[in-house]
Amino acid sequence: MLKGKHIILGISGGIAAYKSAALLRLLVKAGAEVQVIITPNGKEFITPVTLSALSGKPVISEFFTANSGEWHSHVDLGLWADLMIIAPATASTIAKMANGVADNMLITTYLSAKEHVMIAPAMDLDMWAHPSTQRNIRTLEQDGVEVISPADGELASHLVGKGRMEEPENIVKCIKAFFERNNVSEASLAGKKVMITAGPTYEKIDPVRFIGNFSSGKMGFAIAEEFAQRGADVTLVTGPVSLDVKHPRIKRISIESALEMYETAVQTAPECDVAVFAAAVADYRPETCNQTKIKREKGEAPVIKLVKNPDIAAACGKLKKDGQIFVGFALETDNELANAREKLDKKNLDIMVLNSLRDAGAGFATDTNKVTIITENSEMQFPLKSKVCVAADIVNTVQGLLTH
C-alpha cells in the first residue's frame, strides 16, 4: 500500500522525537519514499545524521543550506508529497499550524501542502487538556487535518495521563488506512442513499434536566463523511452534539429525544440503500415530563417512573427490503461476541459493529475506537485506530456486501 508513496515526515521538538526514527524506518521498510523536515528544536532531541541514514535523503531544517545557499522550496515539497505526517506534533507546532505562523520550514511546508496532512500530538497531559490546545486541535480538524489522538501512559514528566505520542506501528496503520480510503473511487457509491443515526438522545425530566449519555457523535459523523466522500447522498439524523457537518452531500436532521429520532428513522430508512444505526439512544425516558422545574424538597427525592423507548434499529429492521444493508452498533461489557451476534439476528441487520468499554481508547467521547465488525459469516477484529479510519473499515464492509 505504501510502495512508491511520497511522504513528508515532520518532526518537532519534543522528547517523543525518538519514536520518529522507528516511524521513519517502518515507512521506508513499507516502500515509501520519505523526506524528513525537522524543526530547529527537534534537532535537540534527535540528530539529522540518524534520520538521513534511515531515510536515504538529506534532512531539511532551514530555508537555506548555510554553506551553499541552496534554497529548499516548500512549494515543491508540497507538490511532491502524497501525504504529510507530523510526529511528534508539539503544542507549539500545533498552535503555529492552527494560526498560520510560518516561522520555520516545517510550518511553511504545511501551509503549502496540497496533500492530506496528519498529526500525532505529543505533550504533557495538562498541555494536551488545556483549552488553547483543544481549540487549536478543533481548528486543525475543521481545516481537514487528521489528528491521531495521543495515548494514555507515563509521560516525560513522570505523570500519567493522556499525551503520549501514538506508537509508530499504529501511526503506520493510520497512514495505510488513508491510502486505502484514497484508492476507493470518490464516485464508487454515487447514487446510493444512506441514513445514519448519531450522537445521544436527551429524555426530558423537566425543562432543565434530562436523562442522557456520554456519546459525542464522533463515530456517526465520521461514517457520514466517509459515505459522502465516496459519492453517497447521506441523511444524518443526530442527537445533541457539538460537531459540524463538513461534506455538502450530508443532509443533517437534528433531533433531541429518542421518539423524535424514531419517527425520523422509520420514515427515512425504507427509502435508503444503507442505514447505519450508530446513535446511543436512551433505552428509557420519564413517563411524564414536568412542565416546570422540579424544586429541591426537604423530604425524599422525587420518584421518576421510566418507560421503554422504541428500539430504532429493530423497528427499521422489520421494514428492511431485499438489497438494503443495515448496520447496527453494540457497546458491550461482557459476553461481547455472543450478545452482538444475538442483536444482529434479532434486529434483522446485516452488519454489527462491536466495541467494548473494557478496551482503553474505545467507546464514548474518544477520538479512537477498537471494533470487531460482524457479518453473518465473518468476524473481523481491528486494532485501536482513529474513528476516521474505523469509519473507512465500516464503509468498506458495507460496500463489499452491496457488490454481492
Side-chain angles (χ1 to χ4, degrees):
M1 183 57 64
L2 299 185
K3 187 175 179 60
K5 298 298 184 184
H6 294 172
I7 296 176
I8 293 173
L9 172 58
I11 301 174
S12 55
I15 189 65
Y18 78 91
K19 291 184 178 180
S20 301
L23 174 59
L24 173 56
R25 183 176 179 276
L26 289 172
L27 292 172
V28 171
K29 187 177 181 180
E33 187 176 342
V34 185
Q35 176 61 65
V36 176
I37 303 176
I38 190 168
T39 65
N41 285 339
K43 291 188 289 185
E44 300 294 326
F45 293 90
I46 187 168
T47 68
V49 173
T50 298
L51 299 168
S52 179
L54 291 171
S55 68
K57 288 178 173 290
V59 173
I60 297 173
S61 180
E62 309 297 339
F63 293 103
F64 300 92
T65 301
N67 55 358
S68 68
E70 179 187 0
W71 175 49
H72 300 129
S73 172
H74 52 88
V75 176
D76 289 346
L77 285 167
L79 293 171
W80 171 82
D82 299 305
L83 175 79
M84 182 177 191
I85 169 77
I86 301 177
T90 60
S92 176
T93 291
I94 289 169
K96 290 177 181 181
M97 292 173 69
N99 293 281
V101 181
D103 65 348
N104 63 46
M105 187 65 185
L106 178 57
I107 303 302
T108 306
T109 304
Y110 161 68
L111 293 175
S112 301
K114 297 184 181 300
E115 64 276 8
H116 186 65
V117 179
M118 307 170 79
I119 62 170
M123 64 198 73
D124 204 56
L125 73 166
D126 294 318
M127 296 176 71
W128 172 252
H130 196 279
S132 63
T133 302
Q134 291 304 306
R135 183 168 59 248
N136 290 332
I137 288 290
R138 289 193 297 271
T139 296
L140 291 181
E141 288 179 328
Q142 290 168 4
D143 290 343
V145 174
E146 183 176 341
V147 179
I148 302 174
S149 185
D152 286 282
E154 185 175 359
L155 306 169
S157 63
H158 301 300
L159 297 174
V160 176
K162 190 165 187 172
R164 287 175 59 91
M165 187 178 102
E166 185 55 271
E167 295 304 315
E169 293 80 5
N170 290 333
I171 294 174
V172 172
K173 288 175 183 176
C174 291
I175 291 172
K176 287 181 177 178
F178 162 73
F179 284 113
E180 287 172 0
R181 299 197 307 271
N182 202 44
N183 282 344
V184 177
S185 168
E186 288 190 3
S188 59
L189 291 175
K192 298 296 184 183
K193 294 182 179 180
V194 179
M195 184 200 76
I196 298 164
T197 66
T201 63
Y202 288 176
E203 313 302 325
K204 284 187 175 180
I205 297 171
D206 63 21
V208 299
R209 302 180 181 91
F210 63 87
I211 296 172
N213 55 60
F214 298 110
S215 173
S216 64
K218 291 180 179 179
M219 191 70 256
F221 273 64
I223 297 169
E225 294 288 342
E226 185 65 29
F227 271 111
Q229 286 173 12
R230 301 193 193 190
D233 296 312
V234 180
T235 299
L236 177 62
V237 185
T238 176
V241 297
S242 60
L243 303 174
D244 295 322
V245 167
K246 299 174 184 176
H247 204 287
R249 277 197 291 269
I250 300 175
K251 174 187 175 183
R252 177 175 183 163
I253 300 176
S254 296
I255 58 85
E256 183 175 88
S257 69
L259 290 179
E260 291 172 338
M261 183 173 282
Y262 170 81
E263 292 294 337
T264 304
V266 295
Q267 291 177 19
T268 307
E271 305 304 319
C272 291
D273 299 287
V274 179
V276 181
F277 303 96
V281 182
D283 293 322
Y284 300 94
R285 68 182 187 276
E287 185 176 43
T288 59
C289 173
N290 272 51
Q291 298 305 306
T292 59
K293 179 183 176 181
I294 300 172
K295 299 292 185 181
R296 184 192 295 268
E297 301 294 341
K298 294 182 180 179
E300 295 182 358
V303 176
I304 300 172
K305 184 177 180 181
L306 301 177
V307 295
K308 279 188 175 182
N309 274 324
D311 187 323
I312 296 172
C316 291
K318 292 178 181 179
L319 304 174
K320 185 161 75 76
K321 296 173 285 190
D322 289 344
Q324 290 183 303
I325 303 297
F326 282 11
V327 182
F329 274 70
L331 181 63
E332 302 290 342
T333 57
D334 54 79
N335 298 321
E336 289 97 336
L337 285 172
N339 289 337
R341 281 215 165 271
E342 182 181 356
K343 289 180 179 179
L344 182 75
D345 296 334
K346 186 178 179 180
K347 299 184 182 186
N348 193 28
L349 305 178
D350 303 281
I351 299 169
M352 184 63 70
V353 181
L354 167 66
N355 55 329
S356 172
L357 284 176
R358 295 191 296 180
D359 291 323
F364 290 149
T366 65
D367 296 316
T368 55
N369 211 350
K370 181 181 178 182
V371 304
T372 300
I373 298 180
I374 302 167
T375 65
E376 182 182 2
N377 300 314
S378 68
E379 295 172 4
M380 296 170 285
Q381 293 184 336
F382 295 86
L384 185 73
K385 58 177 73 176
S386 74
K387 286 182 175 176
V388 172
C389 295
V390 174
D393 294 331
I394 294 169
V395 178
N396 286 342
T397 307
V398 171
Q399 201 160 349
L401 292 182
L402 283 172
T403 57
H404 283 79

